[in-house]
Amino acid sequence: MTSTPLPLRVLWNAFYWTYERATWQYDVMVVSILAFVWLTPPDWLKDPMASGSGPIGWLLDVLK
Amino acid sequence: MTFTGLIGRICMFPLRLIINLCVRLKIHPNTLTFIGVLINVAAAWALALGKFVTAGVIMTIANIFDFIDGKVAHESQAVSAFGGFWDSVIDRFSDISLFIGLIFLYSDLRRTDYVMVTALAMMFTIMTSYTRARAESIIKKCKVGFMERPERIVLFMIGAFTNRMAAVMWVILVLSIFTVADRIILTYRELRETHEAIA
């Protein structure tokens, strides 16, 4: 894996997860998951229990 | 110190008090495990009714029992092989009951797409623990993959408290698939290395 380009190595390490809890890699993963859960507009996922465009949708509306 | 490490330390303070209380009251760890699953069934019921915040509160209480049983066993010198087995089996019932609660809710809402997403997430959740258990009968350790039980539990609670259960189901599904794949890859590699070392 050492000759592999960095982005591919990062993707592989995210997929083939060998890090312990309470490491910076774990923190990055947790923040990414929380960002997906909280920022993705429920409408995009067709959430049966939530609606609205969420923070991303609001930002896109502002930028329009 | 990392961000998640700090949160762990903060949460550990009240849990330590509960652990000490259980040890002092001589509550058997297997009883705590069983109480945990019963409370999780109540949480599943709340999920099935679409009462996510109530489900979140009940899940928090249930998961305190889930978390402390091992620590109480350790501190009261009640660690046993059966206790470990009992804990693993009961944990699967807790996991599955929460998924069934959600499947009931989504089918009640006539949302076949999310019935499938939740059912698949449940399947890969079960396979996550099965692959590890089966792998560790033939290799020394199989602890790879991100989506283990503590992560799943916290995600369920976040989804319930913030009404983002659909996004949480997608995360659990995708990362559980990765975790199962990781465990298969690790087991294959370990066995191949052993085979090559013998040959």
Side-chain angles (χ1 to χ4, degrees):
Chain A
M1 288 300 284
T2 45
S3 59
T4 319
L6 185 67
L8 275 182
R9 225 182 314 152
V10 169
L11 275 179
W12 172 256
N13 288 342
F15 163 71
Y16 190 70
W17 188 265
T18 55
Y19 302 105
E20 292 292 324
R21 295 192 182 103
T23 55
W24 69 265
Q25 292 90 343
Y26 187 84
D27 277 7
V28 170
M29 187 64 137
V30 168
V31 169
S32 311
I33 290 170
L34 291 179
F36 173 77
V37 169
W38 285 331
L39 300 182
T40 308
D43 288 350
W44 290 9
L45 298 171
K46 296 187 172 66
D47 191 325
M49 293 297 286
S51 58
S53 50
I56 289 181
W58 175 81
L59 194 67
L60 290 176
D61 283 344
V62 169
L63 293 174
K64 266 182 199 171
Chain B
M1 174 173 300
T2 60
F3 158 70
T4 47
L6 179 69
I7 292 175
R9 274 200 184 186
I10 293 168
C11 292
M12 204 51 216
F13 179 70
L15 289 172
R16 175 114 319 266
L17 296 175
I18 301 170
I19 292 164
N20 290 343
L21 182 71
C22 291
V23 172
R24 197 172 290 181
L25 293 174
K26 293 188 172 126
I27 301 173
H28 199 278
N30 291 354
T31 311
L32 293 173
T33 310
F34 190 65
I35 294 170
V37 74
L38 293 180
I39 302 174
N40 259 319
V41 169
W45 185 258
L47 284 176
L49 298 176
K51 293 178 177 170
F52 282 177
V53 176
T54 309
V57 172
I58 301 171
M59 268 188 261
T60 308
I61 299 165
N63 293 323
I64 290 172
F65 283 88
D66 266 6
F67 181 79
I68 64 168
D69 54 4
K71 313 265 183 218
V72 170
H74 188 77
E75 299 215 351
S76 56
Q77 273 109 41
V79 177
S80 67
F82 178 76
F85 167 79
W86 173 252
D87 185 41
S88 299
V89 172
I90 293 296
D91 281 354
R92 300 292 83 72
F93 278 117
S94 293
D95 282 344
I96 294 167
S97 55
L98 293 177
F99 282 111
I100 288 177
L102 273 182
I103 290 171
F104 181 93
L105 171 71
Y106 292 142
S107 55
D108 202 34
L109 296 169
R110 305 281 185 271
R111 289 298 301 269
T112 321
D113 49 353
Y114 273 96
V115 168
M116 281 311 294
V117 169
T118 312
L120 287 170
M122 180 172 76
M123 180 173 88
F124 280 95
T125 291
I126 298 163
M127 289 310 294
T128 294
S129 50
Y130 180 77
T131 43
R132 183 173 171 192
R134 188 69 182 86
E136 288 183 352
S137 71
I138 46 177
I139 63 169
K140 208 171 179 183
K141 203 165 179 64
C142 185
K143 204 179 181 313
V144 287
F146 181 86
M147 192 50 70
E148 293 194 305
R149 190 151 192 272
E151 286 76 20
R152 217 163 37 235
I153 286 171
V154 171
L155 271 170
F156 254 107
M157 291 197 290
I158 287 171
F161 280 123
T162 62
N163 193 16
R164 288 290 179 273
M165 205 51 102
V168 162
M169 278 305 109
W170 279 110
V171 172
I172 292 178
L173 172 61
V174 172
L175 293 183
S176 296
I177 293 172
F178 286 179
T179 302
V180 171
D182 291 349
R183 291 175 178 188
I184 294 170
I185 291 168
L186 177 82
T187 308
Y188 175 76
R189 282 180 174 174
E190 293 265 326
L191 289 175
R192 192 181 56 186
E193 274 172 28
T194 314
H195 184 73
E196 280 170 0
I198 293 168

